[in-house]
Amino acid sequence: MEYIYDIIRGWATAGYLPSIFEHTFMVRGLLAAIIIGPLLGAMGTVVVTKKLSFFTQTIGNAAMSGVAIGLLFGEPIEGTYAGLYGFCLIVALLMTFVKNRSRLSNDTIIGVVLAQVLGVGIILMIVVTSQFNVHQVEGILFGSLITLNDMDLITLSIASLVVGIIFAFNFNKVMLGGFNPILAKARGLSPVFLEYVFVCLMTIIVVASLKLIGALLVLVLVVVPAAGAQNIVSNLRQFVWVSVLFSTISTTFGLLLSGFLPIPSGAVIVLVSSVLFYGSLLLKPLFSKGGLSQGEV
Amino acid sequence: MVESGRGNLLEIRDLSLTLGGNRILSDVNIDVKPGHIHALIGPNGAGKTTLIRSIMGGMPHKGTIRFFFGDNGRIGYVPQLLEFDHSVPITVFDFLYLMLRKFPLFLGRRKPMREQILKILSVTECEHLIDRGVGYLSGGEFRRVLLAQALVPKPELLLLDEPASNVDEVGARHFEKMLVQLKQDHGHSILLVSHDMQTILRIADRVTAINRTVTYDGPPENLSLSDMMTNVSSS
């Protein structure tokens, strides 16, 4: 890892990058942003199509409980991986199970779980640490580059590679299942199984990106680039690539800007992402001429 | 395995289905012959769509549903209503690509696939719709696209759930002509749910009327007026 850090730090020393990138924690942040940005953008297109935006938020909120559970089982505060991934995956699978087994609508199920997991997390955190440590909570909610370590970056890289490959080669099936489950079923696919696969992939990536973006803000990076892309694209291929572009610009430029401003990286990433969204909205009339052909309806 | 089905393509025997304590279908027996247009009629709530879903394998039921075609045979399905988010930027090309190819759409080459999809769409005379957003198609246009997708790869049985709903008179007649062509020119076997008695009398080889159980099964010309009235009055 040090070899890669040295190269990027060297670019900062030579003046190709802002001098803030002479600090290792900023270099780690930049690498995390470059890895996670494109994947969140691509997966965001399915999240928007399947209307899973607040599902993502719930997973982010569940992270608080995950960290507390990890601490409870003796994991170190800087790397509560088993607690985080384990609890968030359980919450994701449970919500999907309830959705497929009950008549409750998706947003009702999410509404029930969304705040509960955050509240339970704060209570557990106080029980485990015997005090309310606002910095720990802040780090999870808004992201904390300072606490992003080598292990996080390695975990994030491996998770992104595995999730990226599985996602790409199941994209057609997952998108068809999200677009219309009846037709997917008629093609011999199992939309319910595909949904379980997708929520697991999504959970892994959301958890992997928490230290960079934060639990409260991760929703924005999953949804906003895809929503911005939707404003100006005319087909599914463009939808994915423009969303990837918006998301990558948001994470990398957001991180560059956060180097100059005393604001958490997640908040600046969200700001850049929002600028792109409103920009695409303003440009929508230009693109709609060549966009989806509306023809005679 | 191909089994002898006394010349049937599909055999439904003693099919019963209960949902939430309510008996939806009871002792349904139907034979569908190859190369036939077989119409399924019945009033609203008679269990037609449930029966279609059972044939598709999506409903737990008692009794047997047996297909007499090879393991690789498939059912082409055109659903009654397709609910989807109209804001998702999916064109007709994308829609067919997602169904026909495993290689990720956003990585694949468009040109060779485009020609293949144009050919598929030409069967139902809608190749001009290839770049149109699916959310912007009229009811009739979308039905033709759905029919085109159901024909690839060639199915042993085509299941059409009320293909003329939300389609104007001209569109419905055009669709009807297409079904006859598919039967005569391509040898397709079709099981069709419909409320349109005129169409059924014109094109169906056999009719099964159901109202939770089979109330008539035979040629369309022998349908009683009361069976027709029950069907038409509730459509």
Side-chain angles (χ1 to χ4, degrees), chain A residues 70-143:
Chain A
L71 291 174
L72 201 65
F73 283 95
E75 286 190 281
I77 182 76
E78 66 273 11
T80 51
Y81 299 114
L84 255 175
Y85 284 96
F87 184 72
C88 290
L89 278 169
I90 288 170
V91 170
L93 292 172
L94 197 67
M95 282 199 296
T96 311
F97 178 79
V98 174
K99 184 192 152 197
N100 286 306
R101 287 298 175 107
S102 77
R103 289 187 170 189
L104 295 173
S105 70
N106 210 13
D107 72 317
T108 305
I109 296 161
I110 290 168
V112 169
V113 183
L114 183 69
Q116 277 172 0
V117 285
L118 186 60
V120 169
I122 291 170
I123 292 167
L124 282 175
M125 193 71 100
I126 293 169
V127 170
V128 173
T129 61
S130 306
Q131 58 174 320
F132 184 75
N133 185 337
V134 76
H135 296 298
Q136 284 173 359
V137 176
E138 198 182 271
I140 297 162
L141 294 183
F142 299 105

Side-chain angles (χ1 to χ4, degrees), chain A residues 51 168 171-172 176 179-180 182-183 186-187 230 233-237 239-241 292-294 296-297, chain B residues 56 74 77 82-85 87 89-91 94-95 97 99 101 103-106 108 132-133 136 149 152:
Chain A
K51 300 191 179 4
F171 175 82
N172 294 4
L176 183 62
F179 183 69
N180 190 274
I182 297 170
L183 272 182
R187 287 271 155 192
Q230 239 178 326
V233 300
S234 59
N235 61 49
L236 208 49
R237 186 190 175 93
F239 187 28
V240 174
W241 287 115
L292 279 177
S293 169
Q294 300 188 17
E296 296 294 319
V297 179
Chain B
M56 295 292 300
R74 64 173 282 272
Y77 177 54
L82 204 60
E83 284 177 11
F84 61 91
D85 182 354
S87 68
I90 290 186
T91 62
D94 298 331
F95 183 61
Y97 188 107
M99 276 186 275
R101 290 290 300 268
F103 195 76
L105 180 140
F106 60 93
R132 190 88 75 83
Y136 294 106
Q149 66 80 27
V152 181

Side-chain angles (χ1 to χ4, degrees), chain B residues 1 28 32 89 106 134 156 187 221:
Chain B
M1 264 309 272
V28 173
V32 178
F106 60 93
V134 168
E156 301 290 335
E221 54 273 19

